[in-house]
Every structure is written in C-alpha cells, then in structure tokens.
Amino acid sequence: MLSSGLDSVTSVAAVLEKTDIKMALIFSYGQRAVKREIQNSIKVCEHFGLEYRVLDITWMQEITNTSLVNTDTDVPKLSLEEISEDADPSITVESAKAVWVPNRNGILINIAAAYAESMDCDYVIVGFNKEEAVTFPDNSPEFITAIDDSLSYSTQNGVKVLAPLIGMDKKEIVARAIELKAPLEYSWSCYHGADVPCGECESCTRRRRAFEAAGAKDPLLVRLGKE
C-alpha cells in the first residue's frame, strides 16, 4: 500500500532489503493530495522497478466529511510545540479527528489482501508506526492483530499485514530511510497537493521535527529548492 508518504516509502525500501514485492497499490479516495501522491508514488515505483496499480475508490468521498477530503473544511495547522510531549494531548486528538476517513485502513487493507491472495502473496505491506498509532488506532499493533485474524477467515492463503516500522517513531524512520537510501526525494507527506508542502499541517510538522531530530536535510525540500 503506497501513498508516497515518508512511512510507506521507507517500508518499501525496508521490505525489499529482505524479500520481493510483487506490486504496489496506490489508492485514490478523494484525498486533497491525490494527484501529488499518485505522481510521487509512481516515481518511487520506477526507482525500485516495481509494478503498480492506481485504484479508484473515490466513492469514499460520499461518506467522508473531514478535511482530508472535504475542501470546504480547513485542515488543522499544528506547530512543533503543539505536537511535543509536553503539549495538551487533546490538540493532536482533535487534529486526528479532523482528517479521519471512515474505516480507510480497513478498506484499503482488505482490497490489498484480495490482490495478495489472487497473486499468491503472503503479506500486505503498510507504513504503520508507533508515533501515529497514538492518535490513529488503525495504525496500532492491536489493529494489525485484529485484521490478521479477520484475514485468516477471508483469504484462503491467510494473508497477513506486514508493518516493518511499527515500533518506530518518525525520527527513527528517517534514520532508517537514510540507512536504506530510500528515495525520500519523491516522498510526499503533506495533506495538501500544492507544488510544495504547506509546512503547517500536522503531517508536515511531524516530518520536519523528524528530520531536524535526525540532523538531516529533507531530500524532498532539497529537490524542490526549498532547503
């Protein structure tokens, strides 16, 4: 499952170090950054020589009112202070609610699992991580356990979810990506799909904090001439 985000790009690089990936699935569900995500995901696939499919599930727009899809609603802007360990946790909880898409990961994983079973693949690869699991329960180890149990009934070959970054925060993910020489110059984390990242949404802020903590420049911003 490739969104071109920092986590999914690093996950691809991490898994390819140990085994093969048959196909990348890129989903269009009406998200603001869909064109940018598709464009960058394809570049990542070309970098690794991966076959890919772009899947149109834009019917999800009809059931999604949050700001990740609904352009009439503002995407929250968060500062580094507001995502710090000392900040009021309700700030990031409310930010997560504002970009929540109903059952998104459940839907995407089940679609990916159908592809995996049909191609005789053992795993669906996801970019879930420790940092986002705090406010997004469908990024957590508990969710993976639950959906693996479900897939043991709904797939004949017992497809499972593989989350190579599940125990890492964003700083550790950046360090791992650098170690793997992952093509982060094509990764896109911003909730918006402009020519350059907004630098203000929670995803951008977490990404900036991670690169600063790792003492590294963001390859995407370097490529865009913004760093």
Side-chain angles (χ1 to χ4, degrees):
M1 287 166 49
L2 183 60
S3 68
S4 82
L6 171 66
D7 312 314
S8 67
V9 174
T10 305
S11 293
V12 169
V15 171
L16 282 173
E17 190 178 42
K18 297 180 179 180
T19 189
D20 295 328
I21 295 175
K22 291 285 186 70
M23 182 182 292
L25 299 181
I26 305 163
F27 292 94
S28 170
Y29 55 88
Q31 66 270 43
R32 288 172 181 258
V34 62
K35 291 182 180 179
R36 189 66 56 195
E37 288 183 13
I38 292 172
Q39 178 187 68
N40 283 28
S41 291
I42 290 173
K43 288 179 179 177
V44 171
C45 290
E46 290 172 345
H47 173 88
F48 287 117
L50 294 177
E51 184 178 354
Y52 63 87
R53 297 284 186 277
V54 178
L55 303 183
D56 185 337
I57 53 170
T58 47
W59 55 265
M60 290 187 71
Q61 289 177 289
E62 300 174 12
I63 59 170
T64 305
N65 295 316
T66 52
S67 61
L68 192 64
V69 171
N70 184 359
T71 55
D72 293 330
T73 306
D74 292 334
V75 174
K77 299 177 181 179
L78 268 67
S79 65
L80 289 171
E81 291 73 23
E82 289 174 317
I83 65 168
S84 70
E85 293 181 359
D86 299 327
D88 181 350
S90 67
I91 296 173
T92 51
V93 169
E94 289 304 309
S95 176
K97 287 181 181 179
V99 296
W100 180 265
V101 177
N103 197 26
R104 181 185 62 177
N105 284 346
I107 292 168
L108 302 191
I109 287 173
N110 273 280
I111 293 172
Y115 271 83
E117 181 180 359
S118 71
M119 301 174 70
D120 197 29
C121 293
D122 297 317
Y123 297 102
V124 170
I125 302 160
V126 297
F128 299 169
N129 59 85
K130 179 173 68 175
E131 186 167 324
E132 290 182 335
V134 174
T135 49
F136 291 95
D138 62 349
N139 274 248
S140 66
E142 293 80 7
F143 177 70
I144 293 174
T145 298
I147 205 158
D148 278 353
D149 186 47
S150 172
L151 292 174
S152 73
Y153 292 93
S154 63
T155 60
Q156 288 188 334
N157 62 335
V159 174
K160 293 182 181 296
V161 173
L162 177 61
L165 312 180
I166 194 64
M168 300 182 185
D169 60 24
K170 297 284 185 177
K171 175 188 173 182
E172 293 169 321
I173 292 169
V174 166
R176 181 69 173 132
I178 293 171
E179 177 187 8
L180 292 167
K181 296 181 173 58
L184 295 185
E185 65 271 22
Y186 299 128
S187 61
W188 187 269
S189 302
C190 185
Y191 288 145
H192 300 275
D195 291 337
V196 296
C198 75
E200 297 179 321
C201 69
E202 182 174 352
S203 189
C204 278
T205 301
R206 289 187 181 279
R207 179 176 176 127
R208 176 157 60 96
R209 180 177 69 174
F211 275 99
E212 289 178 356
K217 290 186 176 181
D218 186 333
L220 172 64
L221 298 182
V222 171
R223 180 173 69 83
L224 295 175
K226 298 299 179 181
E227 185 169 300

